[in-house]
Amino acid sequence: MKKKKTIRTQRVKIFKMIDRMAWLIPALLLIWFYFGWSIQGVNILEFFQGSLWGSIVIVIMVLFSVACLSAPIMLIWKAITRALKKSAIQNATFNVLEDFDYYRDKLTGLSPSDISMLTDLEIELKKDITALILKYVMLGVVTIENGIISVINLNHPDLLESDRFLLHTIEAGSITSSSATQWVQMAKTESVGKGYLIDTRGTGEIQKKRSKGCLSALLTGCVTPIIIWIAIPLMVGFLAEGTLTYLDSTIVHLKELSPDASNADFAKALTGNPTEVFQLFILLCSCLILIAALLLPVVSLIFYLVKSNRTQFYKRSALGEELTEQIYGMKNFIHDFSDLSHANKEQLVLWDDFLIYAVLLEENMSIVNEICSMKHMDINGIYRAAQF
Amino acid sequence: MTKILVVVIIIAILVFAYLISAYNKFVVQKNRVEDQRAQIDVQLKRRYDLIPNLVETAKAYAGFEKSTLEAVTQARVSAVNAKDLNDEMAANAKLTSALQRFIAVSESYPELKANTNFMQLQNELSATEDKIAKARQFYNDTVLKYNNSIQMFPANIAAGIFGYKKQAFLEAADSEREAVKISAEHFKL
């Protein structure tokens, strides 16, 4: 099996973070309960004034209840973020050929948009246009003075068709959403033309991928709940004989409490009998499984829809894989061996290509923000329009 | 008493964990400095290998100024024999000046300029010099990161315990700051 590596792009990092944020839902629910009960005058700490065993049981019960209540939102959240994260990771993953960690030479022959496409099969307007502008400054094609970008030489031999198109739009005064889309398409076509990427449209690969995804969604979303539903009668039998009987006696214990009983007495009545506690946990587990079974079809459908919506038409060619490994090594090298994250655009003369790579490989975002905020360069606005 | 002991043990564990992590960080950063230093050496070696070929090619052309060739050869020898990195960089700065003079003089030899081998060597030398310059910048950046990590509080305490010391940056030698002076006598008339 071929070894694979993933480039830690900003997109991957962001989706991983959003995915982890799902755990905030039960935490917030817990805080909400705490304050809700406190406002109603319930002394929560009283529940923990009994034995250590009782306190542990109460904590576990609360956690189970919170899990049951937060499960619907959490599962749907996870379905969306998992799909986004998975597609971002897939796009940034390449086959390893030589297995090196650092690459120190210049990435000769690769334009900024090629590097961006090879990194994660996507063009990110803000940083890619910034890197291109730095490259144009280096080639002497544009100048930046007093926050204004001026095009001075459109006939430079190193310019590609997409470069000329982009420069025309900059020269015209502003980049619009449609011109940006057109430029992105041109840049992608050029990368395909150079043999770095393969356009899989019309080859049936996308359909194959989608069918595979659909099958896996069907298996997870339908077959698993069916198995659970088949298992439920067995569970009901088990519950009828054991859990429900013990649950009845737990309710009796609770009813026996006097109206002015404290929370500590309530906790004691609830957790006094280990067998009853065990059966209560089985009931809570069953509730959790039931909720999951009910939600799985919806969750799988959402996952499938988000994932298939993010499917890329492009994939790396053999040459592309080789170059992506170099890009991966370059990103590591810049990250570990330089302070380029603190460099400014005036240091372009000093660092030339390496500063451009730092911008492209998301190791320096300050230059991106600086150039994007320049006159006629409202890339932020276009970026927002393109995203939503 | 037991409570105090528990607190002391917890603090000792935390301090020990911090020391381990700080030590590992210093090791990684010092290794990066040494690795980057080795990268400079690789490029310098490449440069030393190219120079004799360049000089030999120029020697083949009658009348090429002998003192210029000797200056390059001598500067190369002192760079190769330098004791430490800073000495080596200073000697290399002198070598660069001698090479710049050599290249400038070679401009007045059209036959030499037309020699493809000479041109190729000259281009390679120029590319190597560019790589040396970049390697120096990266070296200084790794030194900066290393120095920052061992000088900041509380890491400076850990660095002191483990004996990690500040590393010197590579600075431009005086001869690098000067422009190359070429007089008319250097040229073939």
Side-chain angles (χ1 to χ4, degrees):
Chain A
M1 199 176 159
K2 275 182 186 172
K3 191 179 171 185
K4 287 175 188 265
K5 278 183 182 174
T6 303
I7 301 176
R8 276 178 61 83
T9 60
Q10 200 69 20
R11 212 181 280 256
V12 170
K13 284 183 205 163
I14 288 171
F15 288 146
K16 271 189 179 174
M17 193 186 71
I18 298 172
D19 189 43
R20 268 189 232 120
M21 274 166 70
W23 294 104
L24 281 176
I25 298 165
L28 288 173
L29 207 65
L30 209 61
I31 294 167
W32 187 65
F33 276 148
Y34 178 81
F35 283 108
W37 282 336
S38 298
I39 288 164
Q40 283 174 20
V42 179
N43 186 356
I44 292 145
L45 294 176
E46 266 186 15
F47 286 108
F48 305 102
Q49 279 170 0
S51 62
L52 179 69
W53 154 257
S55 301
I56 294 169
V57 169
I58 293 283
V59 167
I60 296 171
M61 272 182 190
V62 170
L63 291 178
F64 258 100
S65 313
V66 167
C68 287
L69 288 170
S70 56
I73 309 169
M74 210 172 146
L75 284 174
I76 292 169
W77 180 300
K78 279 264 172 194
I80 298 168
T81 54
R82 274 275 158 113
L84 291 171
K85 189 179 86 174
K86 218 174 164 187
S87 63
I89 290 175
Q90 252 173 19
N91 291 345
T93 302
F94 61 95
N95 289 319
V96 172
L97 300 166
E98 291 178 56
D99 202 6
F100 50 77
D101 284 329
Y102 297 119
Y103 185 80
R104 298 162 199 257
D105 273 341
K106 287 183 185 178
L107 300 163
T108 318
L110 289 177
S111 75
S113 45
D114 291 332
I115 296 173
S116 185
M117 277 301 284
L118 285 169
T119 306
D120 60 357
L121 305 177
E122 285 183 66
I123 294 269
E124 289 88 7
L125 281 179
K126 280 175 77 175
K127 70 167 179 62
D128 295 348
I129 292 182
T130 304
L132 274 166
I133 287 169
L134 287 178
K135 187 194 153 193
Y136 300 149
V137 171
M138 212 172 80
L139 291 174
V141 172
V142 300
T143 56
I144 301 176
E145 264 175 56
N146 304 322
I148 298 171
I149 298 163
S150 317
V151 182
I152 50 169
N153 177 17
L154 263 173
N155 301 316
H156 196 286
D158 287 356
L159 294 180
L160 302 168
E161 204 51 47
S162 64
D163 293 320
R164 290 207 172 84
F165 177 82
L166 184 66
L167 286 164
H168 271 302
T169 58
I170 293 171
E171 205 176 29
S174 68
I175 304 168
T176 62
S177 186
S178 67
S179 65
T181 314
Q182 208 179 332
W183 170 75
V184 167
Q185 204 43 55
M186 284 174 92
K188 285 179 176 177
T189 313
E190 277 167 1
S191 293
V192 173
K194 287 176 199 165
Y196 304 149
L197 297 170
I198 300 166
D199 190 344
T200 58
R201 277 174 291 192
T203 59
E205 257 186 68
I206 298 290
Q207 280 72 21
K208 217 172 159 185
K209 262 188 198 172
R210 283 188 177 151
S211 318
K212 215 175 147 188
C214 188
L215 191 71
S216 122
L218 269 173
L219 277 172
T220 329
C222 299
V223 178
T224 318
I226 287 169
I227 294 168
I228 293 171
W229 285 115
I230 292 168
I232 279 175
L234 301 171
M235 268 163 61
V236 169
F238 182 67
L239 287 174
E241 281 185 18
T243 310
L244 297 177
T245 320
Y246 281 102
L247 195 67
D248 280 344
S249 56
T250 311
I251 292 165
V252 170
H253 288 317
L254 294 176
K255 276 183 179 172
E256 278 169 1
L257 287 171
S258 66
D260 54 346
S262 68
N263 290 336
D265 296 331
F266 177 81
K268 206 176 165 187
L270 194 70
T271 62
N273 186 336
T275 323
E276 282 177 24
V277 169
F278 174 69
Q279 298 298 338
L280 208 62
F281 279 134
I282 290 178
L283 188 73
L284 284 170
C285 285
S286 311
C287 285
L288 208 59
I289 294 168
L290 214 65
I291 292 169
L294 283 168
L295 282 170
L296 261 177
V298 181
V299 167
S300 297
L301 182 71
I302 293 172
F303 183 85
Y304 169 69
L305 288 176
V306 177
K307 184 97 198 312
S308 55
N309 188 41
R310 304 279 305 167
T311 308
Q312 281 296 328
F313 300 125
Y314 299 95
K315 68 172 190 181
R316 295 175 190 88
S317 64
L319 174 64
E321 297 275 4
E322 200 180 305
L323 293 168
T324 310
E325 193 170 7
Q326 293 178 4
I327 292 167
Y328 169 84
M330 174 59 72
K331 186 173 167 66
N332 284 347
F333 176 59
I334 287 174
H335 184 81
D336 292 346
F337 285 83
S338 83
D339 206 21
L340 276 163
S341 56
H342 294 109
N344 52 50
K345 69 177 189 331
E346 282 71 33
Q347 283 174 280
L348 180 63
V349 183
L350 198 66
W351 287 107
D352 60 40
D353 280 356
F354 288 99
L355 185 57
I356 298 173
Y357 301 148
V359 169
L360 264 177
L361 301 172
E362 295 158 337
E363 294 293 329
N364 183 323
M365 295 306 280
S366 56
I367 296 180
V368 177
N369 295 326
E370 194 188 339
I371 291 188
C372 284
S373 63
M374 283 180 179
K375 245 181 182 176
H376 312 312
M377 288 292 296
D378 183 25
I379 300 171
N380 284 317
I382 297 152
Y383 182 70
R384 279 193 295 273
Q387 293 290 308
F388 305 105
Chain B
M1 189 65 189
T2 325
K3 276 183 184 173
I4 295 169
L5 194 69
V6 169
V7 171
V8 169
I9 290 171
I10 290 170
I11 292 171
I13 291 170
L14 289 175
V15 169
F16 188 66
Y18 171 74
L19 285 176
I20 292 173
S21 114
Y23 177 79
N24 289 342
K25 194 181 165 193
F26 299 151
V27 169
V28 168
Q29 294 198 327
K30 192 154 188 220
N31 284 345
R32 281 183 190 151
V33 171
E34 278 164 20
D35 179 33
Q36 195 50 40
R37 199 224 131 112
Q39 293 302 317
I40 299 177
D41 287 342
V42 169
Q43 299 305 332
L44 288 176
K45 171 82 174 53
R46 173 85 188 126
R47 189 190 202 196
Y48 301 149
D49 291 347
L50 283 169
I51 291 167
N53 295 334
L54 203 69
V55 170
E56 283 307 310
T57 316
K59 257 187 195 169
Y61 288 85
F64 196 94
E65 213 210 309
K66 215 177 169 187
S67 64
T68 310
L69 291 176
E70 275 172 6
V72 170
T73 313
Q74 252 176 9
R76 180 187 172 274
V77 170
S78 52
V80 170
N81 295 330
K83 283 171 197 155
D84 57 40
L85 188 60
N86 268 318
D87 275 357
E88 196 172 4
M89 293 320 292
N92 260 281
K94 283 181 187 156
L95 178 59
T96 305
S97 302
L99 277 169
Q100 281 172 337
R101 200 165 290 124
F102 170 78
I103 301 295
V105 171
S106 71
E107 294 284 316
S108 61
Y109 292 83
E111 307 96 333
L112 186 58
K113 270 187 78 186
N115 184 323
T116 47
N117 189 33
F118 182 79
M119 287 311 289
Q120 199 186 328
L121 285 167
Q122 201 183 317
N123 288 339
E124 270 188 57
L125 192 68
S126 161
T128 308
E129 275 167 6
D130 188 43
K131 282 181 185 170
I132 293 169
K134 288 285 172 296
R136 281 174 63 164
Q137 282 170 238
F138 283 115
Y139 176 81
N140 279 344
D141 272 6
T142 49
V143 168
L144 177 76
K145 280 187 174 181
Y146 167 77
N147 285 351
N148 282 345
S149 72
I150 64 159
Q151 285 179 305
M152 278 188 200
F153 182 80
N156 58 344
I157 299 168
I161 294 169
F162 297 122
Y164 280 92
K165 285 181 187 142
K166 218 178 125 182
Q167 296 270 326
F169 290 103
L170 285 178
E171 284 167 22
D174 290 341
S175 51
E176 280 178 290
R177 295 193 186 101
E178 290 166 8
V180 182
K181 290 169 193 156
I182 317 264
S183 58
E185 70 209 37
H186 287 112
F187 294 95
K188 184 186 172 187
L189 298 167

Coordinates of all heavy atoms in Angstrom, one line a residue, chain A residues 34-77:
Chain A
Y34 N -27.0 24.1 34.8 CA -26.4 24.5 36.1 C -27.0 25.9 36.5 O -27.6 26.0 37.6 CB -24.9 24.6 36.1 CG -24.3 25.0 37.4 CD1 -24.1 24.2 38.4 CD2 -23.9 26.4 37.6 CE1 -23.6 24.6 39.6 CE2 -23.4 26.8 38.8 CZ -23.2 25.9 39.8 OH -22.7 26.3 41.0
F35 N -26.9 26.8 35.6 CA -27.4 28.2 35.9 C -29.0 28.2 36.0 O -29.5 28.9 36.9 CB -26.9 29.2 34.9 CG -25.5 29.6 35.1 CD1 -24.5 29.1 34.3 CD2 -25.1 30.3 36.2 CE1 -23.2 29.4 34.5 CE2 -23.8 30.6 36.5 CZ -22.8 30.2 35.6
G36 N -29.6 27.4 35.1 CA -31.1 27.3 35.2 C -31.6 26.8 36.5 O -32.4 27.4 37.1
W37 N -30.9 25.7 37.0 CA -31.3 25.2 38.3 C -31.0 26.2 39.4 O -31.7 26.3 40.4 CB -30.7 23.8 38.6 CG -31.3 22.7 37.8 CD1 -32.6 22.7 37.4 CD2 -30.8 21.5 37.4 NE1 -32.9 21.5 36.8 CE2 -31.8 20.7 36.8 CE3 -29.5 20.9 37.6 CZ2 -31.6 19.5 36.3 CZ3 -29.3 19.6 37.1 CH2 -30.3 18.9 36.4
S38 N -29.8 26.8 39.3 CA -29.4 27.7 40.4 C -30.3 28.9 40.5 O -30.7 29.3 41.6 CB -28.0 28.3 40.0 OG -27.1 27.2 40.0
I39 N -30.8 29.4 39.3 CA -31.8 30.5 39.3 C -33.1 30.1 40.0 O -33.7 30.8 40.7 CB -32.0 31.0 37.9 CG1 -30.7 31.8 37.4 CG2 -33.2 32.0 37.8 CD1 -30.7 32.0 35.9
Q40 N -33.5 28.8 39.8 CA -34.7 28.3 40.4 C -34.5 27.9 41.8 O -35.5 27.4 42.5 CB -35.2 27.1 39.6 CG -35.8 27.4 38.3 CD -36.2 26.2 37.4 OE1 -36.3 25.1 38.0 NE2 -36.3 26.4 36.1
G41 N -33.3 28.2 42.4 CA -33.1 28.0 43.8 C -32.7 26.6 44.2 O -32.7 26.2 45.4
V42 N -32.3 25.7 43.2 CA -31.9 24.4 43.5 C -30.5 24.4 43.9 O -29.6 24.9 43.1 CB -32.1 23.4 42.3 CG1 -31.7 22.0 42.6 CG2 -33.6 23.5 41.8
N43 N -30.2 23.8 45.1 CA -28.7 23.8 45.5 C -28.1 22.5 44.9 O -28.3 21.4 45.4 CB -28.6 23.8 47.0 CG -27.2 23.9 47.5 OD1 -26.3 23.8 46.6 ND2 -27.0 24.0 48.8
I44 N -27.4 22.7 43.8 CA -26.9 21.5 43.1 C -25.9 20.7 43.9 O -25.8 19.5 43.8 CB -26.3 22.0 41.7 CG1 -27.5 22.4 40.8 CG2 -25.6 20.8 41.0 CD1 -27.2 23.5 39.9
L45 N -25.1 21.5 44.7 CA -24.0 20.8 45.4 C -24.6 19.8 46.5 O -23.9 18.9 46.9 CB -23.2 21.9 46.1 CG -22.3 22.8 45.2 CD1 -21.6 23.8 46.0 CD2 -21.3 22.0 44.4
E46 N -25.8 20.0 46.8 CA -26.5 19.1 47.8 C -26.5 17.7 47.3 O -26.5 16.7 48.1 CB -27.9 19.6 48.1 CG -28.0 20.5 49.3 CD -29.4 20.8 49.7 OE1 -30.3 20.1 49.2 OE2 -29.6 21.8 50.5
F47 N -26.6 17.6 46.0 CA -26.7 16.2 45.4 C -25.4 15.4 45.7 O -25.4 14.2 45.6 CB -26.9 16.3 43.8 CG -28.3 16.7 43.4 CD1 -28.5 18.0 42.9 CD2 -29.3 15.8 43.6 CE1 -29.8 18.3 42.5 CE2 -30.6 16.2 43.2 CZ -30.8 17.4 42.6
F48 N -24.3 16.2 45.9 CA -23.0 15.5 46.1 C -22.6 15.4 47.5 O -21.4 15.2 47.8 CB -22.0 16.2 45.2 CG -22.3 16.3 43.8 CD1 -22.8 17.5 43.3 CD2 -22.2 15.3 43.0 CE1 -23.2 17.6 41.9 CE2 -22.6 15.3 41.6 CZ -23.1 16.5 41.1
Q49 N -23.6 15.6 48.4 CA -23.2 15.6 49.8 C -23.3 14.2 50.5 O -22.9 14.1 51.6 CB -24.0 16.6 50.6 CG -23.5 18.0 50.5 CD -24.5 19.1 51.0 OE1 -25.5 18.8 51.5 NE2 -24.0 20.4 50.9
G50 N -23.7 13.3 49.7 CA -23.9 11.9 50.2 C -22.5 11.2 50.1 O -21.5 11.8 50.2
S51 N -22.6 9.9 49.8 CA -21.4 9.1 49.7 C -20.6 9.4 48.3 O -21.2 10.1 47.4 CB -21.7 7.6 49.7 OG -22.5 7.4 48.6
L52 N -19.3 9.0 48.3 CA -18.6 9.2 47.1 C -19.2 8.5 45.9 O -19.3 9.0 44.8 CB -17.1 8.8 47.3 CG -16.2 8.9 46.1 CD1 -15.9 10.4 45.8 CD2 -14.9 8.2 46.4
W53 N -19.6 7.2 46.2 CA -20.2 6.4 45.2 C -21.5 7.1 44.6 O -21.7 7.2 43.4 CB -20.6 5.0 45.8 CG -21.7 4.3 45.2 CD1 -23.0 4.2 45.6 CD2 -21.7 3.6 43.9 NE1 -23.8 3.5 44.8 CE2 -23.0 3.1 43.7 CE3 -20.7 3.3 43.0 CZ2 -23.4 2.3 42.6 CZ3 -21.1 2.6 41.9 CH2 -22.4 2.1 41.7
G54 N -22.3 7.7 45.5 CA -23.5 8.4 45.1 C -23.2 9.5 44.2 O -23.8 9.8 43.1
S55 N -22.1 10.3 44.5 CA -21.7 11.5 43.7 C -21.3 11.1 42.3 O -21.7 11.7 41.3 CB -20.6 12.2 44.4 OG -21.0 12.6 45.7
I56 N -20.5 10.0 42.3 CA -20.0 9.5 41.0 C -21.2 9.1 40.1 O -21.3 9.5 38.9 CB -19.0 8.3 41.1 CG1 -17.8 8.8 41.8 CG2 -18.7 7.7 39.8 CD1 -16.8 7.7 42.3
V57 N -22.2 8.4 40.7 CA -23.3 7.9 40.0 C -24.1 9.1 39.4 O -24.5 9.2 38.3 CB -24.2 7.0 40.9 CG1 -25.6 6.8 40.2 CG2 -23.5 5.7 41.2
I58 N -24.3 10.1 40.3 CA -25.1 11.3 39.9 C -24.4 12.0 38.7 O -25.0 12.4 37.7 CB -25.2 12.3 41.1 CG1 -26.1 11.7 42.2 CG2 -25.7 13.7 40.6 CD1 -27.6 11.8 41.9
V59 N -23.0 12.1 38.8 CA -22.3 12.8 37.7 C -22.5 12.0 36.4 O -22.7 12.6 35.4 CB -20.7 12.9 38.1 CG1 -19.9 13.3 36.9 CG2 -20.5 13.9 39.2
I60 N -22.3 10.7 36.5 CA -22.5 9.9 35.3 C -23.9 10.0 34.7 O -24.1 10.1 33.5 CB -22.1 8.4 35.6 CG1 -20.6 8.3 35.9 CG2 -22.4 7.5 34.3 CD1 -20.1 7.0 36.4
M61 N -24.9 10.0 35.6 CA -26.3 10.2 35.2 C -26.5 11.5 34.5 O -27.2 11.6 33.4 CB -27.2 10.1 36.3 CG -27.6 8.6 36.7 SD -28.7 8.7 38.0 CE -28.8 7.0 38.4
V62 N -25.9 12.5 35.1 CA -26.1 13.9 34.4 C -25.4 13.9 33.1 O -26.0 14.4 32.1 CB -25.5 15.0 35.4 CG1 -25.4 16.3 34.7 CG2 -26.3 15.1 36.6
L63 N -24.2 13.3 33.0 CA -23.5 13.3 31.7 C -24.3 12.5 30.7 O -24.4 12.9 29.5 CB -22.1 12.7 31.9 CG -21.1 13.5 32.7 CD1 -19.8 12.8 32.8 CD2 -20.9 14.9 32.0
F64 N -24.9 11.4 31.1 CA -25.7 10.6 30.1 C -26.9 11.4 29.6 O -27.2 11.4 28.5 CB -26.2 9.3 30.8 CG -25.4 8.1 30.4 CD1 -24.4 7.6 31.2 CD2 -25.7 7.5 29.2 CE1 -23.7 6.5 30.9 CE2 -24.9 6.4 28.8 CZ -23.9 5.9 29.7
S65 N -27.6 12.1 30.6 CA -28.8 12.9 30.2 C -28.4 14.0 29.3 O -29.1 14.2 28.3 CB -29.4 13.5 31.5 OG -29.5 12.5 32.5
V66 N -27.3 14.6 29.6 CA -26.8 15.7 28.7 C -26.5 15.2 27.3 O -26.8 15.8 26.3 CB -25.6 16.4 29.3 CG1 -24.9 17.3 28.3 CG2 -26.0 17.3 30.5
A67 N -25.9 14.0 27.3 CA -25.5 13.3 26.0 C -26.8 13.0 25.2 O -26.8 13.3 24.0 CB -24.7 12.0 26.3
C68 N -27.8 12.6 25.9 CA -29.1 12.3 25.2 C -29.7 13.5 24.6 O -30.2 13.6 23.5 CB -30.1 11.6 26.2 SG -29.7 9.9 26.6
L69 N -29.7 14.6 25.4 CA -30.3 15.9 25.0 C -29.5 16.6 23.9 O -30.1 17.2 23.0 CB -30.4 16.8 26.2 CG -31.5 16.4 27.2 CD1 -31.4 17.3 28.4 CD2 -32.9 16.6 26.6
S70 N -28.2 16.5 24.0 CA -27.4 17.2 22.9 C -27.1 16.4 21.7 O -26.6 16.9 20.7 CB -26.1 17.7 23.6 OG -25.4 16.6 24.1
A71 N -27.4 15.1 21.8 CA -27.1 14.2 20.6 C -27.7 14.7 19.3 O -26.9 14.7 18.3 CB -27.6 12.8 20.9
P72 N -29.0 15.1 19.2 CA -29.4 15.5 17.9 C -28.6 16.6 17.2 O -28.2 16.5 16.1 CB -30.9 16.0 18.2 CG -31.3 15.3 19.4 CD -30.0 15.2 20.2
I73 N -28.4 17.7 18.0 CA -27.6 18.9 17.4 C -26.2 18.4 17.2 O -25.6 18.7 16.1 CB -27.6 20.1 18.4 CG1 -29.0 20.4 18.8 CG2 -26.9 21.3 17.7 CD1 -29.1 21.4 19.9
M74 N -25.6 17.7 18.1 CA -24.2 17.3 18.0 C -24.0 16.4 16.8 O -23.0 16.5 16.0 CB -23.8 16.6 19.2 CG -22.3 16.7 19.5 SD -22.0 16.1 21.1 CE -20.3 15.5 20.8
L75 N -24.9 15.4 16.6 CA -24.7 14.5 15.4 C -24.9 15.2 14.1 O -24.1 14.9 13.2 CB -25.8 13.4 15.5 CG -25.5 12.3 16.6 CD1 -26.6 11.3 16.7 CD2 -24.2 11.5 16.2
I76 N -25.8 16.2 14.0 CA -26.0 16.9 12.7 C -24.8 17.8 12.5 O -24.2 17.8 11.4 CB -27.3 17.7 12.7 CG1 -28.5 16.7 12.7 CG2 -27.4 18.7 11.6 CD1 -29.8 17.2 12.9
W77 N -24.3 18.4 13.6 CA -23.1 19.3 13.5 C -21.9 18.5 13.0 O -21.2 18.8 12.1 CB -22.8 19.9 14.9 CG -21.6 20.8 15.0 CD1 -20.3 20.4 14.7 CD2 -21.6 22.1 15.4 NE1 -19.5 21.5 14.9 CE2 -20.2 22.6 15.3 CE3 -22.5 23.0 15.8 CZ2 -19.8 23.8 15.7 CZ3 -22.1 24.3 16.2 CH2 -20.8 24.7 16.1

